[in-house]
Amino acid sequence: MWNSPKVGILGGGQLGRMLVESANRLNIQCNVLDAENSPAKQISNHDAHVTGSFKERQAVRDLAQSCDVVTAEIEHVDTYALEEIASQVKVEPSWQAIRTIQNKFNQKEHLRKYGIPMADHRELVDSTPEALAKVGEELGYPLMLKSKTMAYDGRGNFRVNSPADIPEALEALKDRPLYAEKWAYFKTELAVMVVKTKDSVLSYPTVETVQEDSICKLVYAPARNVPEHINAKAQELARKAVAAFDGKGVFGVEMFLLEDDSLMLCELASRIHNSGHYTIEACPISQFDAHIRAILDLPIPPESLQPRQPSIMLNLIGGAAPDTHLQAAQAALAIPNAGIHLYSKGAAKPGRKMGHVTVTAATMREAEAHIQPLIDVVDNIRAQRSDIKTPAHKSAVSPPAPAIAVMMGSDSDLKTLVPGLKLLRDYFGIDPAVDITSAHRTPTFMAEYSARAAARGIKVIIAAAGGAAHLPGMAAAHTALPVIGVPVKGSSLDGVDSLYSIVQMPRGVPVATVGINNSINAALLAVRILGAFDPSIQRKVEAYAEAARSENMELKGTKMQELGWEKYFAQM
Amino acid sequence: MWNSPKVGILGGGQLGRMLVESANRLNIQCNVLDAENSPAKQISNHDAHVTGSFKERQAVRDLAQSCDVVTAEIEHVDTYALEEIASQVKVEPSWQAIRTIQNKFNQKEHLRKYGIPMADHRELVDSTPEALAKVGEELGYPLMLKSKTMAYDGRGNFRVNSPADIPEALEALKDRPLYAEKWAYFKTELAVMVVKTKDSVLSYPTVETVQEDSICKLVYAPARNVPEHINAKAQELARKAVAAFDGKGVFGVEMFLLEDDSLMLCELASRIHNSGHYTIEACPISQFDAHIRAILDLPIPPESLQPRQPSIMLNLIGGAAPDTHLQAAQAALAIPNAGIHLYSKGAAKPGRKMGHVTVTAATMREAEAHIQPLIDVVDNIRAQRSDIKTPAHKSAVSPPAPAIAVMMGSDSDLKTLVPGLKLLRDYFGIDPAVDITSAHRTPTFMAEYSARAAARGIKVIIAAAGGAAHLPGMAAAHTALPVIGVPVKGSSLDGVDSLYSIVQMPRGVPVATVGINNSINAALLAVRILGAFDPSIQRKVEAYAEAARSENMELKGTKMQELGWEKYFAQM
């Protein structure tokens, strides 16, 4: 390993800079090809950098002279230069992979051979209004007219809403090789970072990306409200797509999650990617660490790609003035759990990526709460820009994924549950999912509801029922989550019927039973369970007990001392 | 903030290098005073570094010319130079603080005024055998003879076991200003990193340090087997000690935990410290981030000093050959969840700190399991060194912190609990803490046991009791954890007495009650609770249910189909 391998990087922007950060920690020298004093060169103090552009053939040759492996922070490089140097140095990923990927139409034609699902698309061999109109008839409107090459961050794309837009679209993208793509109606944009090593294809978890002005604004890792099986399916799709290309390193795969929960590949990048920045804080090995290791054949333990905690990444974008984005950086300093990365690109242009912030927390909701004030600052900076007119993307806080589900067999049980529901909402600030799901009247719905609860993020179920109270036990039979049973007192037998029906479950299917009609205790038991793994909730449980103690000791006890038992009783 | 403050650093070793890493991310320029190409300069590419030594008065003056704030990665600097430049630039922490702290005797005399507990010590005004013998009579043997200045990593210390060692001790430390310290019999060495800002004193959690050959080998964060109140007390002591000095920045405080659980300050460093390296991976803001922010008056959200996960830091120390330590670095690449830091110091001398590795994991046990093979490699490298003779420190794995506590009121309840205990151990691989704690016979112990359970890492309590079964409810009254109650059937009333005593708790104190004698369901409920937050356990709960399903459907059901109910009944 440390017989001093030298890594050449085409491009010294922020991606190159973060690669150098990772290489520095392993004492691996990076020689960067870019302008003098580019961001990556600033943190790598030696004389072997090359001044020039990653599009100049001679500069690439010069870089190759001094390196053992050459890689790129961008796919828009001169792949003919890479092809030429590939006889002297290793090029990772392969020049063939980069050449295919940098032409988005060729990329898709290649991926189609591997059975990767994608939006339907057509090459526009002649850029004439007639040709595009014909494609429009085939794909329908709206459609996306796209440049095959040099397209990134929304540049090179034009939305065609109807045949009337055709002339403007062709003018906007004139002199570029074009193709058209059927419009994808997606509910969420997802991304997966894939690591291709000499003998395996690994992936980070599926993240949710939020785009604004056609560039990445926010990344939620893991994706919110995406069940585990879709997370797994998206990773599988991403690995399969990357496996279709030669060479080693990290690849970014963007995709759409459609309304029917199916997945469609959007595009693939042959490099570290903005949607993987969260890995620096969240994962033991970041995408930059992984890229350096992959191209040098160093080991990557798959566990190290698993995040320690949920995280949210927010880009800091250039505002109206060259230093406006620094207001956001300044605000980020006061955000709890925020890691700040400024790229040292000097004066900003509006819309340019100048830095990013990643917030980690024990839960996604906590991360959302921490970062919200910073999103407000960023939205405010954007609102002052004169180059854009559209309103800010509403960064919706994820609909609170409830941690507690409350089920009742009949609405007649609701009045028994109300004290517990009020305690959860008013004292603990927790909004549970509340549903009527009868074991006897809606047995199939009850079964599905229980079986899907864990995937929705539910951690504990409260089920109330009276009489031959089957609901808690049946729910427990359909889930691996803890189920709390509340026996409801009916019109006969004083609730003992419900109690026995709930508590005397057979071995193998437990129900955590509380006292008859005692929804308060069911609620408290649920928060104790959450609190065992969430210190802030546990502290509230302790505070609740302390309040009860002081009420008993200091209020009632003192009063009885003062009044004597007889007067106390008289005023009760 | 970003009107380009420039930070001058005295010293460009690994601590300076990691400071520069942090400053780079905020685009803050660091000018480093040290030899050409020192580790810190390698990752900071500009012309404003100063070549020379942090002990040269003129070099310090040159550095001050180009900076707004000057700080130091080491306390053994020329404080008279700092005093001189303090009129032109800010010096953080203050030269007065560094001057007092770099003389360990003065440091302790100063801290004594603030009531900081320390080992008894005596100045040795004359370094004569007679004077030391007199001090030995006062302090007893063994004692530690120490140099007041230039003492670090065990250099400048000599253990005096008896009066016979006095001549050798004085020879070893001749020409140095000396003091003697009473021997401290400690059970654990602890450390706390403290952040002193313009208006507050913050601290990271208390960590456990393991020394070998008088230098730091391992850091466990948080300290293992140290209860929460000692963790809090140690942080308080550390903050109080640091508050006794002027200036801003990060300070390292090392202390002893004695057999009686009292704390004693060992020594204090006016800088970022080896025992805080774990913060790079473990905390949203590392000690290096915090130092940069503190000296520049940038905000530090206190939440950001809380670790995301437990972690273990292991130093990579120079071995017999100049590159032996790279074997350990190579091995570290394959360790799950390991972050690797090499300091780029070139060829190693035996015993020199060349790098470090930090492993994070969801639990300390998991981190211990991950890092153990690397400790073995490090121990093996050390064993090959000819300059040391003592055996390696035995890095004991911490006793497993159980997640489930099982309490019973009397040993007569044990037989009821055995099926549940066996299920936990044999099917789920979980070893609970199992204790007899009677609500009636040992009420105080029961109360303390319950109250301390959460701090020990317990997530759920199972309590079994019969008759006037008070134990589950009383345990619930003393803890915020979920408590599962198992009613035990006694000699009369068929267990209904126990069931009612356990389930009919008053509002405010819930017990999760299972069926009479049903310890299997208590165990399953406990693993469902753990599984709600631990996917690997939840998958086992699902597998258990699936096994029960297939046993019922495929074994018993099929058999009854084959045999018919009559033959089936006959063979039951």
Side-chain angles (χ1 to χ4, degrees):
Chain A
M1 162 189 182
W2 280 284
N3 48 5
S4 311
K6 289 194 177 58
V7 173
I9 306 178
L10 301 187
Q14 70 265 25
L15 298 174
R17 181 178 170 102
M18 289 184 273
L19 273 183
V20 171
E21 261 194 339
S22 287
N24 280 342
R25 287 190 175 176
L26 294 182
N27 297 354
I28 290 167
Q29 182 176 316
C30 292
N31 300 340
V32 175
L33 164 54
D34 208 330
E36 285 284 2
N37 205 34
S38 61
K41 293 182 181 180
Q42 293 173 28
I43 63 167
S44 178
N45 192 358
H46 58 76
D47 299 329
H49 298 303
V50 178
T51 306
S53 160
F54 45 78
K55 292 181 181 175
E56 288 168 37
R57 186 89 37 116
Q58 187 53 46
V60 175
R61 284 186 197 125
D62 291 347
L63 183 74
Q65 294 298 327
S66 66
C67 298
D68 302 292
V69 185
V70 168
T71 190
E73 62 147 19
I74 183 164
E75 59 270 37
H76 305 298
V77 294
D78 178 354
T79 59
Y80 294 91
L82 292 181
E83 182 177 356
E84 182 188 319
I85 63 168
S87 54
Q88 315 156 41
V89 292
K90 292 180 198 156
V91 176
E92 299 295 352
S94 70
W95 58 265
Q96 294 95 331
I98 299 176
R99 188 174 295 165
T100 306
I101 288 168
Q102 71 180 191
N103 180 310
K104 290 193 182 178
F105 181 72
N106 294 350
Q107 177 191 133
K108 287 186 181 178
E109 290 297 292
H110 181 76
L111 285 170
R112 182 161 32 195
K113 292 183 224 149
Y114 291 82
I116 303 296
M118 285 171 294
D120 198 8
H121 54 273
R122 297 283 185 280
E123 188 171 15
L124 205 69
V125 182
D126 302 309
S127 293
T128 62
E130 297 70 31
L132 183 51
K134 184 161 174 295
V135 166
E137 276 170 38
E138 288 172 35
L139 298 178
Y141 295 93
L143 62 76
M144 192 65 107
L145 187 63
K146 292 184 160 187
S147 172
K148 292 179 181 177
T149 56
M150 292 304 294
Y152 59 97
D153 286 355
R155 283 168 240 195
N157 286 358
F158 196 100
R159 178 180 166 145
V160 185
N161 289 312
S162 74
D165 292 345
I166 287 179
E168 191 186 349
L170 290 174
E171 176 62 26
L173 297 176
K174 71 177 173 189
D175 303 332
R176 303 183 75 159
L178 298 176
Y179 72 109
E181 202 169 83
K182 190 177 166 75
W183 195 260
Y185 290 95
F186 61 87
K187 57 179 180 182
T188 312
E189 290 183 84
L190 302 177
V192 173
M193 299 307 305
V194 174
V195 189
K196 195 154 178 291
T197 72
K198 66 179 192 297
D199 46 23
S200 67
V201 183
L202 306 169
S203 55
Y204 287 93
T206 305
V207 302
E208 174 186 352
T209 63
V210 175
Q211 317 288 323
E212 185 175 78
D213 309 326
S214 299
I215 67 174
C216 179
K217 177 181 186 179
L218 284 156
V219 172
Y220 295 85
R224 303 171 301 175
N225 307 312
V226 168
E228 184 51 35
H229 71 275
I230 293 181
N231 181 334
K233 206 170 69 171
Q235 289 187 55
E236 205 179 307
L237 172 59
R239 288 195 303 261
K240 190 174 162 190
V242 170
F245 295 96
D246 274 340
K248 294 174 280 196
V250 166
F251 293 70
V253 181
E254 294 177 284
M255 51 196 117
F256 296 130
L257 178 63
L258 306 183
E259 290 296 341
D260 65 354
D261 275 357
S262 67
L263 291 163
M264 195 178 256
L265 185 129
C266 173
E267 66 180 61
L268 185 148
S270 57
R271 55 170 170 81
I272 55 273
H273 194 267
N274 198 167
S275 57
H277 291 357
Y278 77 93
T279 58
I280 297 176
E281 277 80 9
C283 304
I285 287 186
S286 77
Q287 64 166 341
F288 304 100
D289 299 329
H291 187 73
I292 293 287
R293 291 188 186 204
I295 65 176
L296 294 175
D297 293 337
L298 301 176
I300 300 174
E303 301 93 322
S304 298
L305 308 188
Q306 293 308 309
R308 301 180 186 106
Q309 288 190 326
S311 59
I312 304 172
M313 193 276 331
L314 174 67
N315 274 331
L316 304 184
I317 306 281
D323 62 353
T324 319
H325 64 284
L326 294 181
Q327 293 167 15
Q330 181 81 47
L333 289 165
I335 298 288
N337 299 359
I340 305 173
H341 302 256
L342 296 179
Y343 304 149
S344 201
K345 286 171 155 182
K349 288 181 192 144
R352 194 164 183 220
K353 291 175 182 171
M354 301 305 288
H356 76 267
V357 171
T358 300
V359 167
T360 56
T363 64
M364 183 56 83
R365 286 196 80 183
E366 203 182 316
E368 287 175 324
H370 286 327
I371 207 168
Q372 190 55 51
L374 190 60
I375 295 177
D376 295 342
V377 171
V378 162
D379 286 345
N380 194 37
I381 289 173
R382 179 178 177 279
Q384 291 160 22
R385 280 166 58 186
S386 56
D387 61 319
I388 38 169
K389 308 280 177 235
T390 53
H393 167 89
K394 274 284 153 245
S395 30
V397 171
S398 61
I404 301 176
V406 177
M407 309 164 71
M408 63 200 92
S410 149
D411 63 2
S412 66
D413 302 322
L414 182 55
K415 66 175 183 302
T416 307
L417 285 168
V418 161
L421 290 170
K422 283 191 173 162
L423 179 68
L424 286 177
R425 186 191 60 194
D426 301 341
Y427 191 86
F428 291 98
I430 292 174
D431 265 318
V434 183
D435 291 277
I436 300 175
T437 53
S438 166
H440 303 128
R441 284 175 294 266
T442 60
T444 310
F445 174 64
M446 179 279 305
E448 280 169 7
Y449 187 96
S450 307
R452 288 196 54 238
R456 286 170 63 198
I458 300 288
K459 301 297 183 191
V460 53
I461 293 173
I462 296 174
H470 290 180
L471 180 63
M474 287 310 299
H478 284 287
T479 181
L481 291 171
V483 176
I484 298 169
V486 185
V488 175
K489 188 168 157 175
S491 52
S492 49
L493 294 175
D494 251 5
V496 174
D497 47 349
S498 324
L499 173 61
Y500 286 177
S501 295
I502 293 173
V503 77
Q504 287 295 100
M505 286 292 290
R507 287 179 188 214
V509 188
V511 171
T513 311
V514 296
I516 295 164
N517 276 1
N518 202 334
S519 68
I520 292 275
N521 276 7
L524 286 169
L525 186 54
V527 292
R528 281 180 181 229
I529 289 171
L530 300 182
F533 298 88
D534 183 333
S536 69
I537 295 180
Q538 195 167 61
R539 281 193 293 272
K540 279 193 188 167
V541 175
E542 285 159 357
Y544 181 86
E546 174 55 26
R549 192 196 63 77
S550 64
E551 188 194 340
N552 265 274
M553 295 269 293
E554 282 139 41
L555 287 177
K556 298 184 181 171
T558 310
K559 194 170 160 194
M560 195 175 290
Q561 290 298 321
E562 284 167 4
L563 296 180
W565 66 266
E566 203 161 6
K567 280 192 187 154
Y568 190 106
F569 184 66
Q571 59 83 53
M572 272 183 83
Chain B
M1 164 189 180
W2 280 283
N3 46 7
S4 310
K6 290 195 177 58
V7 174
I9 306 178
L10 301 187
Q14 70 266 25
L15 298 174
R17 180 177 171 104
M18 290 184 272
L19 274 182
V20 171
E21 261 193 341
S22 288
N24 280 342
R25 288 189 175 177
L26 294 181
N27 297 356
I28 290 167
Q29 181 176 317
C30 292
N31 301 339
V32 176
L33 164 54
D34 207 329
E36 283 286 3
N37 204 35
S38 59
K41 293 182 180 179
Q42 294 173 27
I43 62 167
S44 178
N45 192 359
H46 58 75
D47 299 330
H49 298 301
V50 178
T51 307
S53 160
F54 45 77
K55 292 181 181 176
E56 288 167 38
R57 186 86 40 113
Q58 188 53 46
V60 175
R61 283 186 198 124
D62 291 347
L63 183 74
Q65 293 297 327
S66 66
C67 300
D68 302 293
V69 184
V70 168
T71 189
E73 61 147 17
I74 184 167
E75 59 269 40
H76 305 296
V77 294
D78 178 354
T79 61
Y80 294 91
L82 293 181
E83 181 176 359
E84 183 189 317
I85 63 168
S87 55
Q88 314 156 41
V89 293
K90 291 181 200 155
V91 176
E92 299 295 353
S94 71
W95 59 263
Q96 294 94 331
I98 298 175
R99 187 176 296 168
T100 306
I101 287 167
Q102 71 179 194
N103 181 309
K104 292 194 179 177
F105 181 73
N106 293 350
Q107 176 191 132
K108 288 185 179 179
E109 290 297 292
H110 180 76
L111 286 170
R112 183 165 26 201
K113 289 183 223 147
Y114 291 81
I116 303 297
M118 286 170 293
D120 198 7
H121 54 271
R122 297 283 185 281
E123 188 172 14
L124 204 69
V125 184
D126 302 309
S127 295
T128 61
E130 297 71 32
L132 183 51
K134 184 161 174 298
V135 166
E137 276 169 37
E138 290 173 35
L139 297 178
Y141 294 93
L143 61 76
M144 194 64 108
L145 187 64
K146 293 183 160 190
S147 172
K148 291 178 179 177
T149 56
M150 291 302 294
Y152 60 96
D153 286 354
R155 284 167 238 196
N157 285 358
F158 197 100
R159 179 180 166 146
V160 185
N161 289 312
S162 74
D165 292 344
I166 288 179
E168 192 187 347
L170 291 175
E171 177 60 25
L173 298 176
K174 72 178 172 189
D175 302 330
R176 302 182 76 158
L178 298 176
Y179 72 108
E181 205 169 82
K182 191 177 166 74
W183 195 261
Y185 290 95
F186 60 87
K187 56 179 181 185
T188 311
E189 290 183 83
L190 303 177
V192 173
M193 299 307 304
V194 174
V195 189
K196 196 156 179 288
T197 72
K198 64 181 193 296
D199 46 23
S200 67
V201 184
L202 306 169
S203 54
Y204 288 92
T206 306
V207 302
E208 174 186 350
T209 63
V210 175
Q211 317 288 322
E212 186 174 78
D213 309 326
S214 298
I215 68 174
C216 179
K217 176 181 186 180
L218 284 156
V219 172
Y220 295 85
R224 302 170 301 174
N225 307 313
V226 167
E228 185 49 36
H229 71 275
I230 292 181
N231 181 333
K233 207 170 68 170
Q235 289 187 55
E236 205 178 308
L237 172 59
R239 289 194 302 263
K240 190 172 163 192
V242 170
F245 295 96
D246 274 342
K248 295 175 280 198
V250 166
F251 293 70
V253 182
E254 294 177 285
M255 51 196 118
F256 297 131
L257 178 63
L258 306 184
E259 290 296 339
D260 65 353
D261 276 355
S262 67
L263 292 163
M264 195 178 257
L265 184 130
C266 173
E267 66 179 63
L268 186 150
S270 56
R271 54 171 171 82
I272 56 278
H273 194 269
N274 198 168
S275 56
H277 290 357
Y278 77 93
T279 58
I280 297 176
E281 277 81 10
C283 303
I285 288 186
S286 76
Q287 65 166 342
F288 304 101
D289 298 330
H291 187 73
I292 293 287
R293 291 188 185 204
I295 65 175
L296 294 174
D297 292 338
L298 300 176
I300 299 175
E303 300 93 323
S304 298
L305 308 188
Q306 293 308 310
R308 302 179 186 107
Q309 287 191 326
S311 59
I312 304 173
M313 193 278 327
L314 173 67
N315 274 330
L316 304 184
I317 305 281
D323 62 353
T324 319
H325 64 284
L326 294 181
Q327 294 168 14
Q330 181 80 46
L333 289 165
I335 299 288
N337 298 0
I340 305 174
H341 302 256
L342 297 179
Y343 304 148
S344 201
K345 286 171 155 180
K349 288 181 192 146
R352 196 167 180 217
K353 291 175 182 171
M354 302 303 290
H356 77 267
V357 172
T358 299
V359 168
T360 55
T363 64
M364 183 57 83
R365 281 195 81 185
E366 205 182 314
E368 288 175 325
H370 286 328
I371 207 168
Q372 190 55 51
L374 190 60
I375 296 178
D376 294 341
V377 171
V378 162
D379 287 346
N380 192 36
I381 290 173
R382 179 179 176 278
Q384 291 159 22
R385 279 166 60 188
S386 56
D387 61 319
I388 39 168
K389 309 280 178 232
T390 54
H393 169 88
K394 275 279 154 252
S395 31
V397 172
S398 67
I404 301 176
V406 177
M407 309 164 72
M408 64 200 91
S410 148
D411 61 4
S412 65
D413 302 323
L414 182 55
K415 66 175 181 303
T416 307
L417 285 168
V418 161
L421 291 170
K422 282 191 175 163
L423 180 67
L424 286 176
R425 188 191 58 194
D426 300 339
Y427 191 86
F428 291 97
I430 292 173
D431 264 317
V434 182
D435 290 275
I436 300 174
T437 52
S438 166
H440 304 126
R441 286 176 292 267
T442 60
T444 310
F445 174 64
M446 180 279 303
E448 280 169 7
Y449 186 96
S450 309
R452 288 195 54 237
R456 284 170 63 198
I458 300 289
K459 300 296 182 193
V460 52
I461 293 173
I462 296 173
H470 290 181
L471 179 63
M474 287 309 300
H478 284 288
T479 181
L481 291 172
V483 175
I484 298 169
V486 185
V488 175
K489 186 167 156 177
S491 50
S492 47
L493 295 174
D494 251 5
V496 174
D497 47 348
S498 323
L499 172 62
Y500 286 178
S501 295
I502 293 172
V503 77
Q504 287 293 101
M505 286 291 291
R507 285 175 192 219
V509 187
V511 170
T513 310
V514 295
I516 294 166
N517 276 2
N518 203 335
S519 68
I520 292 275
N521 275 8
L524 286 170
L525 186 55
V527 291
R528 281 179 181 230
I529 290 171
L530 300 182
F533 298 88
D534 183 334
S536 70
I537 295 181
Q538 196 168 58
R539 281 194 292 272
K540 279 192 188 168
V541 174
E542 285 160 357
Y544 181 86
E546 174 54 26
R549 192 195 64 76
S550 63
E551 189 194 339
N552 266 273
M553 296 269 292
E554 283 139 40
L555 287 177
K556 298 185 183 171
T558 309
K559 195 171 160 193
M560 196 175 290
Q561 290 297 323
E562 285 169 3
L563 297 180
W565 64 266
E566 203 162 5
K567 277 192 190 154
Y568 191 106
F569 183 66
Q571 58 83 51
M572 271 182 88

